[in-house]
Amino acid sequence: MSSPIILEVSGDYALFSRPEMKVERVSYDVITPSAARGILEAIYWKPQIRWIIDRITVINPIRFTNIRRNEISKKASSPNAALVNQGGNDNLGIYVDQERQQRASLLLRDVRYLIHASVHILDTRLDRGGEKVPANQAAGKHLEMFKRRARKGQAFHQPYFGCREFPVAFKLHEDDSEVPKPHESLLGEKDLGFMLHDIEFDQNPKTKAVKSTIPHFFRAEMTDGGITVPALPFKI
């Protein structure tokens, strides 16, 4: 069964950091489902929906390159922020000149993917008037709104490949005959190892505050450039 959304995304560089690399950033071989979902949400998002990534197709050959980037060695901590909110005189500012560090990154270059996705309805109420509609009708309306925005190149914020300095160019495919084919070097089967699937947020049901985050992984296997993404292992 084909997905209702096929979005082509491309860029000069991409960095989907592996969590097991503690200091130097090392990218996965391909885009992760959570990163793909972030691109879709940058184009169109509503609290009533959740994007589901069904399949990822790699178009360009997988190529890596090394760069060094300026980063900072620390970040603002939650305890300090809470202290300031309570009237304390702690300083939340970070002086870049004092905290700057150069770190190496192993990233992808000249990337191009097809994101096959569908929409999951969390709430069948539509924004205008809050009326209840059938789930399939609500899904169709949200998909049409996404397609309209994608055709015009509109986005709530600039989508990116893992880091904000690596912007994404996107194009909606509505005709299967125009969909590009994977490069011949991607033909065959390849085991990409364990990859981040998505992150489950454990929230307080009353305040909606996040109590903890649980990462979920899956064994990514690429066949002729395509990766079938399994269903989410947790309740949305």
Side-chain angles (χ1 to χ4, degrees), residues 148-170:
R148 185 167 60 248
R149 292 178 61 84
R151 290 189 199 107
K152 298 179 180 179
Q154 295 177 331
F156 292 123
H157 63 85
Q158 174 62 52
Y160 52 89
F161 283 128
C163 296
R164 291 186 183 274
E165 57 263 46
F166 305 138
V168 170
F170 58 88

Short mmCIF file of all heavy atoms in Angstrom, two decimals, residues 148-170:
data_model
loop_
_atom_site.label_atom_id
_atom_site.label_comp_id
_atom_site.label_asym_id
_atom_site.label_seq_id
_atom_site.Cartn_x
_atom_site.Cartn_y
_atom_site.Cartn_z
N ARG A 148 -0.81 21.43 0.01
CA ARG A 148 -0.90 22.81 -0.46
C ARG A 148 0.32 23.62 -0.03
O ARG A 148 0.88 24.39 -0.81
CB ARG A 148 -2.20 23.44 0.04
CG ARG A 148 -2.45 24.85 -0.51
CD ARG A 148 -3.87 25.31 -0.26
NE ARG A 148 -4.21 25.35 1.15
CZ ARG A 148 -5.09 24.54 1.74
NH1 ARG A 148 -5.71 23.61 1.03
NH2 ARG A 148 -5.36 24.65 3.02
N ARG A 149 0.73 23.43 1.22
CA ARG A 149 1.90 24.15 1.72
C ARG A 149 3.18 23.65 1.04
O ARG A 149 4.06 24.45 0.69
CB ARG A 149 2.01 23.99 3.23
CG ARG A 149 0.89 24.69 4.01
CD ARG A 149 1.03 24.45 5.50
NE ARG A 149 2.30 24.97 6.00
CZ ARG A 149 2.50 26.24 6.36
NH1 ARG A 149 1.52 27.13 6.25
NH2 ARG A 149 3.67 26.63 6.82
N ALA A 150 3.30 22.34 0.85
CA ALA A 150 4.51 21.78 0.24
C ALA A 150 4.65 22.23 -1.21
O ALA A 150 5.77 22.47 -1.67
CB ALA A 150 4.50 20.26 0.35
N ARG A 151 3.54 22.31 -1.93
CA ARG A 151 3.60 22.77 -3.32
C ARG A 151 4.17 24.18 -3.41
O ARG A 151 4.90 24.52 -4.35
CB ARG A 151 2.21 22.73 -3.95
CG ARG A 151 1.63 21.36 -4.19
CD ARG A 151 0.36 21.46 -5.01
NE ARG A 151 -0.44 20.23 -4.88
CZ ARG A 151 -1.57 20.15 -4.17
NH1 ARG A 151 -2.03 21.23 -3.53
NH2 ARG A 151 -2.23 19.02 -4.11
N LYS A 152 3.81 25.02 -2.45
CA LYS A 152 4.24 26.42 -2.46
C LYS A 152 5.60 26.63 -1.80
O LYS A 152 6.11 27.75 -1.78
CB LYS A 152 3.20 27.29 -1.75
CG LYS A 152 1.83 27.29 -2.42
CD LYS A 152 0.86 28.15 -1.63
CE LYS A 152 -0.52 28.17 -2.29
NZ LYS A 152 -1.49 29.00 -1.51
N GLY A 153 6.17 25.55 -1.24
CA GLY A 153 7.45 25.69 -0.55
C GLY A 153 7.34 26.36 0.80
O GLY A 153 8.32 26.91 1.31
N GLN A 154 6.15 26.33 1.42
CA GLN A 154 5.92 26.99 2.70
C GLN A 154 6.31 26.07 3.86
O GLN A 154 6.18 24.86 3.78
CB GLN A 154 4.46 27.40 2.84
CG GLN A 154 4.01 28.45 1.84
CD GLN A 154 2.53 28.76 1.97
OE1 GLN A 154 1.73 27.90 2.36
NE2 GLN A 154 2.14 29.97 1.63
N ALA A 155 6.78 26.68 4.95
CA ALA A 155 7.13 25.94 6.16
C ALA A 155 7.01 26.88 7.36
O ALA A 155 7.21 28.09 7.23
CB ALA A 155 8.54 25.37 6.07
N PHE A 156 6.67 26.31 8.51
CA PHE A 156 6.61 27.11 9.73
C PHE A 156 8.00 27.59 10.13
O PHE A 156 8.17 28.68 10.65
CB PHE A 156 5.98 26.30 10.86
CG PHE A 156 4.52 26.00 10.65
CD1 PHE A 156 4.05 24.70 10.65
CD2 PHE A 156 3.61 27.03 10.45
CE1 PHE A 156 2.71 24.42 10.45
CE2 PHE A 156 2.26 26.75 10.26
CZ PHE A 156 1.81 25.44 10.26
N HIS A 157 8.99 26.75 9.92
CA HIS A 157 10.39 27.13 10.10
C HIS A 157 11.22 26.31 9.12
O HIS A 157 10.76 25.31 8.59
CB HIS A 157 10.87 26.91 11.55
CG HIS A 157 10.83 25.47 11.99
ND1 HIS A 157 11.85 24.58 11.74
CD2 HIS A 157 9.89 24.77 12.68
CE1 HIS A 157 11.55 23.40 12.25
NE2 HIS A 157 10.36 23.47 12.82
N GLN A 158 12.43 26.76 8.87
CA GLN A 158 13.29 26.10 7.89
C GLN A 158 13.62 24.67 8.34
O GLN A 158 14.26 24.48 9.36
CB GLN A 158 14.58 26.88 7.70
CG GLN A 158 15.61 26.21 6.79
CD GLN A 158 15.11 26.01 5.38
OE1 GLN A 158 14.64 26.94 4.75
NE2 GLN A 158 15.20 24.79 4.88
N PRO A 159 13.17 23.64 7.60
CA PRO A 159 13.56 22.27 7.97
C PRO A 159 15.05 22.05 7.76
O PRO A 159 15.67 22.71 6.92
CB PRO A 159 12.71 21.40 7.04
CG PRO A 159 12.38 22.29 5.88
CD PRO A 159 12.31 23.67 6.41
N TYR A 160 15.62 21.12 8.53
CA TYR A 160 17.06 20.91 8.47
C TYR A 160 17.38 19.44 8.68
O TYR A 160 16.57 18.67 9.22
CB TYR A 160 17.79 21.78 9.49
CG TYR A 160 17.26 21.67 10.90
CD1 TYR A 160 17.74 20.71 11.79
CD2 TYR A 160 16.28 22.53 11.36
CE1 TYR A 160 17.26 20.60 13.08
CE2 TYR A 160 15.79 22.43 12.66
CZ TYR A 160 16.28 21.47 13.51
OH TYR A 160 15.79 21.36 14.80
N PHE A 161 18.58 19.07 8.25
CA PHE A 161 19.06 17.69 8.36
C PHE A 161 19.90 17.55 9.63
O PHE A 161 21.12 17.63 9.60
CB PHE A 161 19.91 17.31 7.15
CG PHE A 161 19.12 16.99 5.92
CD1 PHE A 161 19.41 17.61 4.71
CD2 PHE A 161 18.10 16.05 5.94
CE1 PHE A 161 18.70 17.31 3.56
CE2 PHE A 161 17.38 15.74 4.80
CZ PHE A 161 17.67 16.37 3.61
N GLY A 162 19.26 17.35 10.76
CA GLY A 162 19.97 17.08 12.01
C GLY A 162 20.47 18.30 12.74
O GLY A 162 20.33 18.39 13.95
N CYS A 163 21.08 19.25 12.05
CA CYS A 163 21.58 20.50 12.64
C CYS A 163 21.05 21.67 11.81
O CYS A 163 20.90 21.56 10.59
CB CYS A 163 23.11 20.52 12.67
SG CYS A 163 23.84 19.26 13.73
N ARG A 164 20.82 22.79 12.46
CA ARG A 164 20.17 23.92 11.79
C ARG A 164 21.02 24.50 10.66
O ARG A 164 20.50 25.16 9.77
CB ARG A 164 19.84 25.01 12.81
CG ARG A 164 18.74 24.61 13.77
CD ARG A 164 18.32 25.76 14.66
NE ARG A 164 17.32 25.34 15.62
CZ ARG A 164 16.01 25.32 15.38
NH1 ARG A 164 15.57 25.70 14.19
NH2 ARG A 164 15.15 24.94 16.30
N GLU A 165 22.34 24.29 10.70
CA GLU A 165 23.17 24.83 9.62
C GLU A 165 23.12 23.99 8.35
O GLU A 165 23.78 24.33 7.36
CB GLU A 165 24.62 24.99 10.09
CG GLU A 165 25.27 23.74 10.59
CD GLU A 165 25.23 23.63 12.11
OE1 GLU A 165 24.15 23.87 12.69
OE2 GLU A 165 26.27 23.29 12.70
N PHE A 166 22.34 22.89 8.35
CA PHE A 166 22.22 22.04 7.17
C PHE A 166 20.77 22.07 6.68
O PHE A 166 19.98 21.16 6.98
CB PHE A 166 22.65 20.60 7.48
CG PHE A 166 24.04 20.50 8.06
CD1 PHE A 166 24.31 19.63 9.12
CD2 PHE A 166 25.07 21.27 7.57
CE1 PHE A 166 25.58 19.53 9.66
CE2 PHE A 166 26.35 21.18 8.10
CZ PHE A 166 26.61 20.32 9.15
N PRO A 167 20.38 23.11 5.92
CA PRO A 167 18.97 23.27 5.53
C PRO A 167 18.53 22.23 4.51
O PRO A 167 19.34 21.62 3.80
CB PRO A 167 18.95 24.68 4.92
CG PRO A 167 20.34 24.91 4.45
CD PRO A 167 21.23 24.20 5.43
N VAL A 168 17.22 22.05 4.45
CA VAL A 168 16.59 21.05 3.59
C VAL A 168 15.84 21.76 2.46
O VAL A 168 15.11 22.73 2.68
CB VAL A 168 15.60 20.19 4.39
CG1 VAL A 168 14.76 19.31 3.47
CG2 VAL A 168 16.35 19.33 5.40
N ALA A 169 16.02 21.28 1.24
CA ALA A 169 15.17 21.65 0.11
C ALA A 169 14.18 20.51 -0.10
O ALA A 169 14.57 19.34 -0.10
CB ALA A 169 16.01 21.88 -1.15
N PHE A 170 12.91 20.84 -0.27
CA PHE A 170 11.90 19.78 -0.37
C PHE A 170 11.00 19.98 -1.59
O PHE A 170 10.82 21.10 -2.09
CB PHE A 170 11.05 19.69 0.91
CG PHE A 170 10.33 20.96 1.27
CD1 PHE A 170 9.06 21.23 0.76
CD2 PHE A 170 10.90 21.88 2.12
CE1 PHE A 170 8.39 22.38 1.10
CE2 PHE A 170 10.24 23.05 2.48
CZ PHE A 170 8.97 23.30 1.95
#
